[in-house]
Amino acid sequence: MKFLGINAIFHDPAAALVVDGRIVAAAEEERFSRRKHGKRPLAFSAWELPELAAAWCLREAGLSPEDIDAVAYSYDPSLVVQKPEGDWEDLRTKYAVRAPAFLATALPGLDPGQVSYVPHHVAHAASAGLAAPWRDCAVLVADGRGENVSHLAGRYRGGELEVLAAQELPHSLGLMYEDVTEHLGFLRSSDEYKVMAMASYGRPRHLEALREVIYTTGDGGFRVEPVDWSGYAKALKKGAPWTSDHADLAASVQARLEEVLLELVRWLHERTGERRLALAGGVALNCVANTRLLDEGPFEEIWVQPAAGDSGTALGGALHLAQSYGEPAGPMPDAALGRGFTDEELGAWLDVARVPHTRPADLAAAVAAELAADRIVAWFQGRAEYGPRALGQRSLLAHPGHARNTERLNDVKGREQFRPIAPMVLESRAREIFGRGPVPSPYMLFVHDVHPDWAARIPAVVHVDGTARIQTISPREQPLMARVLSEFEARTGLPVVVNTSLNTAGRPMVDDPRDALECFGSSPVDVLVLGPYVVRRGEVFAS
């Protein structure tokens, strides 16, 4: 059977396809439309569907809309507590009610009667619990909001979800973090990771005060009382310089979030006795908190959905429907579920663009030589990543041994200089360089302490607090990237390469060859590796 999952109601619209018990494709609309996050999370935008992503998923499987057996829409309007007439939130509900008809219009041939509503947090839970490497586990979801709750705690047994707790709105850890994000001059529902990065520069001196207004209730839930953030630090406008007061506020909120999550997972462990925990929801993208849960919490293993935000509910919805129809799918093979291109297609793009290029006999050695010479490499290989992290398919690579490369890459991307960049490392070498976090760690969803004797050798990837958000590389799963790392170590003695997303500020990650060429042409990147082909800036502009 064929199941299409759709996320559209808030932000990060996405589509995913499960066929005959196999995850075939998953992609976010932003990668096609080139609008960051696809759209803003406003009631007015709830009607916008991931039309391009859904159409691509079908093409990838050689299907047409009439071939689909069931569609999961990851929001159930019947669960929404009705707002007073005239409240804009009512508009969102009306759009969701009409979603089957909208989908039938967007995908001609689709029967609107095949569309099923999957509760938002159930879809999040399925994206973790059913996609995880294990069949039985506890599951925790925390984000901004769904229909009427902001959190779910439960467990999966034999593919069936048992909900043990859910926190009703308006109490929300995700919305609380969004409020602080906006107060600090960043874009809410988008830039929360910047607050997490800023927190490392501050002291949690407001922690005691926040414990009075953000607290657990002992029954698997929590409370977030109204907070006047201006009492802790002056509100910032976008781009305004921040001070220690702002960093201290970020540090305090981050610390309290971690404490509350720890209390929630301890409660969940007591109720379930499970050894393993799967996490999803936007809050699960907080890699600092994830590491603390693993380090101090009761669960032996934690798996985080790489598309933990709302885009992941497209996959979760499809997995939930497949399970309910008796065709369970999973686990998730990896995050490379988006678009890919053949060598011939990539070569044709370069020919049409009249861009000089070479095809080295040993691509890994050629790229390692460029990196060892301290050149920035735009890396485009295989199928695009599903989720917000660059994982070796659409990446910017650089030498980690030069401290200036942090500033250099942030300049290339147009990012704030306080933001860290991340390392790739061979899985077999990770433990000698990085501690505390899990190994393997293929999705960049945990932070690791950098061993002191290595910190001075790879300064570009060491954050101000001595940590790094690593990605481990397995030769079995990513043989080409593993060879690049080995060749780079042979030249430099460093088994680590900088990896950050292939994009510039405010733009989605590069997805297709046109995006890659445009990014290369408009930013100070030295080398573009497009599949087997190498494009060097000097050769392009010399011609």
Side-chain angles (χ1 to χ4, degrees), residues 495-516:
V496 172
V497 166
V498 174
N499 171 31
T500 189
S501 57
L502 181 52
N503 67 321
T504 52
R507 305 201 68 187
M509 212 183 310
V510 159
D511 196 79
D512 74 6
R514 182 192 296 275
D515 304 334

Side-chain angles (χ1 to χ4, degrees), residues 290-306:
N290 294 343
T291 299
R292 189 167 176 190
L293 294 183
L294 182 62
D295 192 36
E296 300 179 29
F299 289 96
E300 297 175 24
E301 295 181 70
I302 296 179
W303 187 82
V304 186
Q305 162 62 253

Side-chain angles (χ1 to χ4, degrees), residues 471-493:
Q471 179 193 1
T472 57
I473 298 296
S474 162
R476 180 175 57 84
E477 296 169 357
Q478 291 181 273
L480 180 58
M481 182 54 70
R483 283 209 59 237
V484 170
L485 286 164
S486 295
E487 292 284 345
F488 182 75
E489 182 178 13
R491 289 162 173 77
T492 65

Side-chain angles (χ1 to χ4, degrees), residues 254-293:
Q254 175 68 28
R256 188 56 188 145
L257 174 72
E258 294 168 16
E259 290 180 341
V260 170
L261 290 173
L262 266 171
E263 293 175 32
L264 293 176
V265 300
R266 285 169 178 154
W267 179 91
L268 182 57
H269 184 262
E270 288 176 2
R271 288 293 304 271
T272 65
E274 296 286 352
R275 297 173 45 247
R276 294 160 168 160
L277 172 67
L279 295 175
V283 175
L285 291 172
N286 191 305
C287 54
V288 177
N290 294 343
T291 299
R292 189 167 176 190
L293 294 183

Side-chain angles (χ1 to χ4, degrees), residues 21 35 163 232 339 358 395 449 475 505:
R35 295 168 59 196
V163 178
Y232 300 99
R339 280 192 288 183
T358 61
S395 294
D449 295 328

Side-chain angles (χ1 to χ4, degrees), residues 49 77 91-104 117:
L49 296 167
L91 186 61
R92 193 191 310 273
T93 306
K94 289 178 179 177
Y95 283 145
V97 168
R98 290 164 174 75
F102 291 162
L103 282 164
Y117 294 112

